[in-house]
Amino acid sequence: MIKGSNVALTALSEDVGTVIVSLGWVSPTGEGDADVSVLLLDAGGKVRSDGDFYFYNNPVAADGSVQLLGKTPTEDGNEDRICFDLTAVPPQVERIVVAASRYGGARFGELENVRVRLADAAGESLLRFTIADVDAVSAIIFGELYRRGEEWKFRAVGQGYDSGLAGLATDFGVDIEDDAAEVEAEAASAVEAEAASEMDAEAASEMDAEAGSAVEAVEAADPVGGSGRPETVAPATAAATLEAVPAPRRPDVAEGEPAKRTVAARPRTAKKKVTLPSAPPKSLAENDSWKPARLFPVSVLKSDRDREMRATSVLLSVMAQVPRFGRRLTAAFGAPSGRMETFTEVSLPHGDTPRRPDGVIRIERAGKLWTALVETKTNGNALKADQVQAYMDIAARRGYEAVITVSNDVALEGSPLVDVKIDRRRKHKVAIWHLSWAEVAHQAQLLIQHEGVGNAARTWLLQELLHYLQHENSGCHGFQNMGSAWVPVRNGISDETLCQGDPRALEVVENWERLIRQVCLRLGGDLGLKVQPAQRARRGTDPGARRIQQADQLCHEGRLQAELRVEQAPGLLTIGADLRTGKLRTSVEIPAPEQGYPLTWAKRLVRRLAEAPADLHVETLVEGAAGGPRGTLERLRPEPADLLPKGATPITGFRLSLFKGMGSTRGNAESGFIRSVDDAVHRFYTSVVVHLDRPAPRRAAVKETAGAG
């Protein structure tokens, strides 16, 4: 679409009662992000009340008409998805505005490929609108859904605002709480949390029982990612949690004392505060041979069938009992936020022989049911196309919304794990989604270590699930085999017999991409940061064509390479595997400072790397040359001046690299290639990158931001 154009949804699809709007953008540095918001407007172009304003602190409408689903990784970044049930939108609402905003002086001009996409409930894309000339605006209206008689239409807007989220919302009649009130509210919340921590366990349990239903409602409404703003709340402060959905605040004031302040029930645009879980108590075991009792034992698993049944039951039960975790996994599939129930070994009619999917997920929201069939595989077992096809047919006939597959494999864009045929003649569409066990473990790790679930018992359940998934006998280890083509390709590169166009090289490239995506999940889970693969292909390039090009480069150069964007890192983290030499290289390039003297830069860099490994390679990058001086950190520590090039050659930056031998086998054994890549990335980040500062913004960008303000 182009700016200002509009289209009727019924002209795009017959199934538009529910639509998913996705907002996306690409940050060249990997740091930039934005927050989505939705406003429901009446015939006068204003909200009916502040409750018609949906954003990260108020993500779900009570009637299910609007649900902010959170962020979903894509090929070139993230997409923020919003689900609209147009059949549930109140008749007084004439327009639905979809917008996004940035904070802290950031502008959309710092992002690339700013776009909006609309899809039906099955995930099939219906339209796309790319916004150009975003420049210095801090908020943008991407588009709007509006009524024309009995049908809904979509208009591509692309209108920018200089005043951010608060200014945009105020223009449509929302009464935003000011910054002073926000600061006071955060301070009050901190006092309440501190007081709650001093309560004894019995009192906390009683209050948790009284406020249980309220906490369930808030946690069920928490979207995936939630723009990174989940709120961890002790059971004793369950009432305080409800303030984020904006509701009247009840100050804790002693009887007879006047209240110091009255907090209005207005939307607060301040980010929710994250409270990390407390450290676990010291073990009472006499020695390391004493193993703690586990809720999900793995010692009795004898066969693949046992592993699949146990893994399915463990996963689905924890999803139902820990609403935030269940919501985190299902929101990316367009599932509503509501009461979730899960089932295993359900028998469903299918011809002469009933079918038994491994599990069923059912979510109720505003009287409507969302249902997904679940098929799981463990160890190296692959999904069976005929089995998944049968579940797709069953789901279509019974009016279910999705089929979810779970296995150790990692799905790639443009390369489905199973080929299924979708009958286009059916009016009801069924979406097929894939979830890797590595992603399940990643989400559990994020909630346990970095975000919390607001309840000690639920935290323990997640810990038991994560322990089960990581146990060697569970069969849920994630992607663990580079495939049958790995050894022939390595041998072909070694003896120079591998030719371009060999399909085995393409298979290795695809598995390399799967491995890198899993490495990102594991590193992101450990750090609590966003870690994503960085693709430098030309915008709009077909993923299949890009992989073919990489396969040709593998045949010619004998190397596999990938770049990772790590939030808060000073640059892209590069991982390369040289199949000729059998070495892995992890590196990062940091730009030279804009001010100061080269000798000062070199001394400061060596000083920051005081705790880095002695075998770290440091190379000076110079303008107009292949490379400058280089050496190991051990040699450079007493003489940082050795990093300076001769003459007045300008220094553009420094490259830091670590080398290690890569595993000789294709699997995840101690000597395996997959394990060696995972270990290399983790070691490089934790021993090198953590000591580096993020680059300061360029002076030109600072001037532009100051002028825009």
Side-chain angles (χ1 to χ4, degrees):
M1 299 185 69
I2 62 174
K3 187 174 182 178
S5 61
N6 60 77
V7 63
L9 300 187
T10 53
L12 304 175
S13 172
E14 296 180 355
D15 185 18
V16 289
T18 298
V19 295
I20 298 175
V21 175
S22 303
L23 308 186
W25 40 80
V26 176
S27 171
T29 64
E31 296 293 322
D33 205 352
D35 304 308
V36 303
S37 54
V38 173
L39 298 107
L40 306 187
L41 310 180
D42 58 19
K46 300 290 184 180
V47 296
R48 298 168 301 166
S49 68
D50 292 344
D52 282 344
F53 175 38
Y54 299 97
F55 61 117
Y56 44 78
N57 283 348
N58 182 30
V60 179
D63 57 11
S65 59
V66 180
Q67 300 174 65
L68 273 61
L69 302 179
K71 297 186 184 300
T72 298
T74 62
E75 192 70 19
D76 55 358
N78 272 338
E79 277 189 350
D80 257 294
R81 295 181 178 176
I82 312 162
C83 181
F84 294 99
D85 184 351
L86 299 180
T87 64
V89 176
Q92 300 87 355
V93 174
E94 295 288 335
R95 293 164 52 202
I96 302 176
V97 171
V98 181
S101 55
R102 305 200 69 194
Y103 277 92
R107 297 293 184 263
F108 274 94
E110 301 159 7
L111 304 178
E112 298 176 353
N113 195 16
V114 179
R115 76 272 181 191
V116 58
R117 184 173 60 88
L118 188 142
D120 59 19
E124 183 174 343
S125 183
L126 303 180
L127 62 85
R128 180 186 177 98
F129 168 46
T130 300
I131 304 175
D133 302 325
V134 291
D135 298 330
V137 300
S138 58
I140 296 177
I141 296 179
F142 282 65
E144 62 180 18
L145 294 158
Y146 63 99
R147 297 183 195 264
R148 277 296 180 267
E150 297 297 323
E151 70 175 0
W152 284 91
K153 304 183 75 173
F154 178 85
R155 178 182 291 116
V157 179
Q159 177 184 346
Y161 279 75
D162 291 332
S163 49
L165 176 60
L168 183 150
T170 302
D171 280 357
F172 290 107
V174 180
D175 189 11
I176 296 295
E177 187 167 322
D178 59 20
D179 292 340
E182 171 253 308
V183 172
E184 290 181 19
E186 286 191 351
S189 296
V191 172
E192 291 169 0
E194 183 177 357
S197 64
E198 297 174 357
M199 295 177 64
D200 61 276
E202 181 179 353
S205 299
E206 291 175 357
M207 184 168 289
D208 187 31
E210 294 173 359
S213 59
V215 175
E216 287 283 347
V218 174
E219 291 190 338
D222 183 33
V224 170
S227 298
R229 297 166 187 83
E231 186 173 11
T232 303
V233 186
T237 58
T241 308
L242 296 179
E243 298 167 15
V245 188
R249 191 168 188 174
R250 180 174 59 86
D252 295 328
V253 181
E255 186 176 355
E257 293 184 6
K260 295 183 179 180
R261 56 183 294 267
T262 301
V263 181
R266 293 177 289 167
R268 294 179 55 205
T269 58
K271 283 80 170 175
K272 294 181 181 179
K273 187 178 179 181
V274 175
T275 303
L276 300 181
S278 58
K282 185 178 179 180
S283 173
L284 300 180
E286 286 187 3
N287 53 62
D288 292 341
S289 66
W290 286 26
K291 301 300 180 185
R294 291 293 177 184
L295 181 64
F296 310 123
V298 291
S299 58
V300 296
L301 300 176
K302 303 298 183 182
S303 66
D304 286 342
R305 182 57 181 163
D306 290 342
R307 291 184 178 90
E308 288 179 10
M309 293 177 62
R310 178 68 61 83
T312 305
S313 184
V314 168
L315 172 62
L316 295 185
S317 63
V318 176
M319 286 175 63
Q321 296 303 317
V322 185
R324 185 167 290 175
F325 175 65
R327 179 71 186 139
R328 186 64 63 88
L329 294 181
T330 58
F333 305 150
S337 172
R339 184 171 66 93
M340 177 186 296
E341 289 189 10
T342 54
F343 309 87
T344 59
E345 296 298 311
V346 176
S347 179
L348 297 172
H350 182 66
D352 298 332
T353 306
R355 292 280 185 165
R356 291 181 178 271
D358 291 322
V360 175
I361 301 173
R362 177 160 277 193
I363 302 173
E364 180 189 21
R365 179 74 185 184
K368 297 181 180 180
L369 287 176
W370 183 92
T371 307
L373 304 181
V374 180
E375 172 64 14
T376 60
K377 294 294 181 184
T378 56
N379 282 343
N381 298 322
L383 295 162
K384 298 178 181 178
D386 59 339
Q387 201 171 31
V388 177
Q389 181 70 65
Y391 297 148
M392 291 286 290
D393 295 339
I394 292 172
R397 287 199 304 270
R398 302 183 72 85
Y400 297 162
E401 282 71 23
V403 172
I404 300 173
T405 58
V406 188
S407 73
N408 283 319
D409 212 339
V410 178
L412 302 179
E413 183 180 358
S415 180
L417 294 177
V418 289
D419 292 323
V420 295
K421 297 179 180 179
I422 300 176
D423 190 348
R424 300 294 180 181
R425 296 171 297 178
R426 294 183 185 272
K427 186 174 182 179
H428 180 77
K429 295 181 180 179
V430 178
I432 181 169
W433 305 96
H434 180 72
L435 193 63
S436 69
W437 286 114
E439 188 172 354
V440 174
H442 167 76
Q443 298 294 352
Q445 194 170 11
L446 281 180
L447 290 172
I448 293 170
Q449 298 182 4
H450 307 287
E451 298 175 13
V453 292
N455 182 290
R458 290 173 182 163
T459 301
W460 175 71
L461 278 175
L462 277 182
Q463 289 173 333
E464 290 298 297
L465 169 67
L466 187 59
H467 177 270
Y468 177 87
L469 296 178
Q470 294 176 339
H471 195 280
E472 60 183 8
N473 201 29
S474 70
C476 305
H477 313 112
F479 179 72
Q480 53 187 351
N481 196 310
M482 287 296 290
S484 59
W486 174 245
V487 173
V489 167
R490 285 190 62 171
N491 293 338
I493 290 174
S494 178
D495 56 26
E496 299 185 3
T497 60
L498 187 66
C499 302
Q500 290 189 359
D502 192 320
R504 296 176 298 181
L506 180 59
E507 181 183 338
V508 168
V509 166
E510 290 180 340
N511 286 332
W512 169 254
E513 187 174 337
R514 291 185 171 95
L515 171 58
I516 293 302
R517 290 183 179 275
Q518 180 165 283
V519 167
C520 290
L521 289 173
R522 290 179 174 173
L523 183 62
D526 288 338
L527 304 176
L529 300 173
K530 182 171 62 178
V531 183
Q532 292 179 316
Q535 303 290 355
R536 291 200 178 186
R538 182 178 301 175
R539 186 181 303 170
T541 302
D542 178 71
R546 173 174 52 80
R547 294 183 189 113
I548 291 175
Q549 182 182 7
Q550 292 174 345
D552 291 341
Q553 291 177 348
L554 172 63
C555 297
H556 178 66
E557 302 173 359
R559 290 196 300 268
L560 294 166
Q561 185 164 305
E563 293 178 320
L564 280 59
R565 280 196 177 97
V566 184
E567 187 180 8
Q568 300 181 6
L572 294 177
L573 192 157
T574 301
I575 174 71
D578 193 326
L579 275 62
R580 288 194 174 101
T581 62
K583 286 188 176 181
L584 292 172
R585 174 176 181 160
T586 44
S587 61
V588 66
E589 293 184 9
I590 55 176
E594 287 195 331
Q595 298 179 346
Y597 298 96
L599 181 57
T600 304
W601 303 344
K603 289 181 177 179
R604 185 182 301 145
L605 177 62
V606 171
R607 190 163 56 246
R608 287 175 183 160
L609 297 172
E611 299 181 11
D615 60 343
L616 177 69
H617 285 240
V618 184
E619 177 184 0
T620 304
L621 305 177
V622 296
E623 193 174 89
R630 66 190 70 184
T632 63
L633 188 59
E634 183 178 25
R635 185 177 68 82
L636 293 170
R637 275 171 176 156
E639 294 294 340
D642 290 347
L643 281 173
L644 304 183
K646 296 180 180 179
T649 307
I651 296 176
T652 60
F654 301 92
R655 180 186 293 121
L656 312 178
S657 305
L658 279 179
F659 296 87
K660 75 181 296 281
M662 65 185 192
S664 57
T665 60
R666 66 187 184 189
N668 68 337
E670 217 42 63
S671 61
F673 175 72
I674 291 177
R675 176 67 64 84
S676 63
V677 172
D678 211 1
D679 290 345
V681 172
H682 189 272
R683 176 179 180 243
F684 184 74
Y685 187 90
T686 55
S687 64
V688 178
V689 179
V690 293
H691 302 302
L692 304 175
D693 293 336
R694 299 169 61 182
R698 297 289 181 183
R699 283 177 291 180
V702 172
K703 289 180 180 179
E704 179 183 355
T705 301

